[in-house]
């Protein structure tokens, strides 16, 4: 390796670290709210079920913000757009920390969610542009690795902080992480001028490509199965495996470790065989979910199942992100951002379907079995998409 190559590799590594730091901050603020619902409810004088709407407000912000910002920001340089997104993120967290009422907090969480999908989507495009074509998926996985790491480190620490110092403290801490990300992106991410052919229309052209919609459907259906299980992970662990409520934090950390390993390995697998990693990931998710209810009957089995769930699902993330960028052609930023909107829709879909199963009187081992069926459905959609590739079916629809 020559000195110039080492310098370039160092610059790429620092840029990916800056983007991963932003992902860590985003992941922390997204999931810490779930662990502090009682404190938030007390703080703004509402019930815990009503406090759950704060989580929904963030998710709605993600779904709305990702496509709108990616499309309208098409003519903005990607570095400048990343800086702007992180500034909005910092503002949203600070407003959350000082919220005097439930209505104000709802609005603040919506604002905080707006940059989520666009930051990850545009960050993925930036990361992939800095490396050779054979390492694109790996670079994408590195821009996203902060999200699972947040589940291992950021969420437990900020949850403890919120329990000790008040629910506002984590949002201020995450705002500080956002400022750190701003500085890192400013110094470490090179400017990326926008080509003259990139505009709102070119980004929106991705929506006219059948393969973009197929990739989004694969993510929505396939991940819906995972969320059907994960949404009810706490009662599943306490009712089936016999863990105490305090021990669930450890279980969630195990899930985060699985996510981190899956994201890193998934990027390498996708560089070797992109669609093969999509097929393999969905098969792995289906197998894990199909056996999860049985594994969760014992504590060791539950830990194995939780790790495997995080690992198998996260293999899919960099491969689907890269797949969307490939099939979107001129609309890469929009398509990559839409991936995160789709995952939030999958979250809502999976949680709802899992709730339907439980409301019907089935036990906590059954949401995962429903999830396995959804993963199989996602695999079928992925196989159809692969068949469409062979037939060259991805032309812009009139």
């Amino acid at each position: 390796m020559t000195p110039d190559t080492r310098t370039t590799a160092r610059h790429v590594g620092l840029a990916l670290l800056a983007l991963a730091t932003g992902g860590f901050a985003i992941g922390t603020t997204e999931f810490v709210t779930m662990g502090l619902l009682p404190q938030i409810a007390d703080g703004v004088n509402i019930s815990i079920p009503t406090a759950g709407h704060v989580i929904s407000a963030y998710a709605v912000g993600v779904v709305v913000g990702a496509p709108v910002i990616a499309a309208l920001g098409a003519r903005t340089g990607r570095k400048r757009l990343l800086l702007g997104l992180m500034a909005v993120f910092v503002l949203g967290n600070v407003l959350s920390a000082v919220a005097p009422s439930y209505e104000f907090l709802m609005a603040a969480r919506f604002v905080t969610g707006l940059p989520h999908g666009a930051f990850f989507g545009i960050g993925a495009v930036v990361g992939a542009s800095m490396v050779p074509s054979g390492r694109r998926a790996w670079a994408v996985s590195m821009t996203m690795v902060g999200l699972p790491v947040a589940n291992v480190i950021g969420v437990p620490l900020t949850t403890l902080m919120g329990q000790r110092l008040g629910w506002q403290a984590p949002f201020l801490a995450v705002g500080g992480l956002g400022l750190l990300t701003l500085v890192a992106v400013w110094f470490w991410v090179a400017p990326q001028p926008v080509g003259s052919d990139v505009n709102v229309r070119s980004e929106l052209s991705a929506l006219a490509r059948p393969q973009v919609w197929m990739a989004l459907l694969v993510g929505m259906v396939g991940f819906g199965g995972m969320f059907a299980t994960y949404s009810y992970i706490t009662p599943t662990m306490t009712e089936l495996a016999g863990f105490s409520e305090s021990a669930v934090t450890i279980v969630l950390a195990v899930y985060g470790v699985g996510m981190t390993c899956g994201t890193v390995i998934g990027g390498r697998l996708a560089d070797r065989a992109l669609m093969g990693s999509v097929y393999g990931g969905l098969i792995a998710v289906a197998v894990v979910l199909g056996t999860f209810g049985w594994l969760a009957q014992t504590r060791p089995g539950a830990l194995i199942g939780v790790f495997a769930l995080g690992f198998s699902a996260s293999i899919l993330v960099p491969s689907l992100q890269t797949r969307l960028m490939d099939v979107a052609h001129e609309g890469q930023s929009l398509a990559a951002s839409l991936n995160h909107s789709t995952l939030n829709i999958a979250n809502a879909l999976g949680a709802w379907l899992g709730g339907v199963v439980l409301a019907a009187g089935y036990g906590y081992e059954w949401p995962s079995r429903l999830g396995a069926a959804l993963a199989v459905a996602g695999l079928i959609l992925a196989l159809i998409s692969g068949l469409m590739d062979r037939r060259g079916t991805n032309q812009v629809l009139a």
Side-chain angles (χ1 to χ4, degrees), residues 40-193:
I40 292 173
D42 288 341
V44 292
N45 299 313
I46 55 176
S47 67
I48 290 178
T50 302
H53 297 161
V54 173
I55 299 173
S56 301
Y58 183 94
V60 172
V62 178
V63 174
V64 172
V68 172
I69 294 172
L72 295 182
R75 292 296 305 154
T76 305
R78 288 173 181 152
K79 176 177 179 177
R80 183 181 300 176
L81 190 53
L82 287 170
L83 290 169
L85 289 169
M86 196 46 56
V88 173
F89 175 80
V90 172
L91 174 64
N93 277 285
V94 172
L95 290 176
S96 298
V98 300
S101 66
Y102 167 66
E103 292 78 14
F104 192 101
L105 181 59
M106 286 283 286
R109 296 314 290 162
F110 174 80
V111 170
T112 308
L114 287 173
H116 179 126
F119 184 88
F120 279 117
I122 294 164
V125 174
V126 170
S129 71
M130 295 188 295
V131 298
S133 58
R135 303 192 72 199
R136 292 174 70 244
W138 169 81
V140 169
S141 71
M142 290 299 98
T143 67
M144 303 175 71
V145 76
L147 185 61
V149 172
N151 283 273
V152 182
I153 301 173
V155 175
L157 287 179
T158 51
T159 299
L160 181 62
M161 178 188 298
Q163 292 170 345
R164 299 287 178 85
L165 302 177
W167 62 270
Q168 300 93 336
F171 295 130
L172 288 175
V174 172
L177 283 173
L179 286 175
L180 179 63
T181 302
L182 265 173
V183 174
V185 169
W186 178 272
F187 284 106
W188 293 343
V189 176
Q192 293 196 352

Side-chain angles (χ1 to χ4, degrees), residues 332-360:
Q332 288 191 28
S333 295
L334 175 61
S337 299
L338 277 172
N339 190 35
H340 298 276
S341 292
T342 302
L343 293 182
N344 275 269
I345 294 172
N347 192 345
L349 173 68
W352 175 71
L353 289 174
V356 169
V357 170
L358 294 173

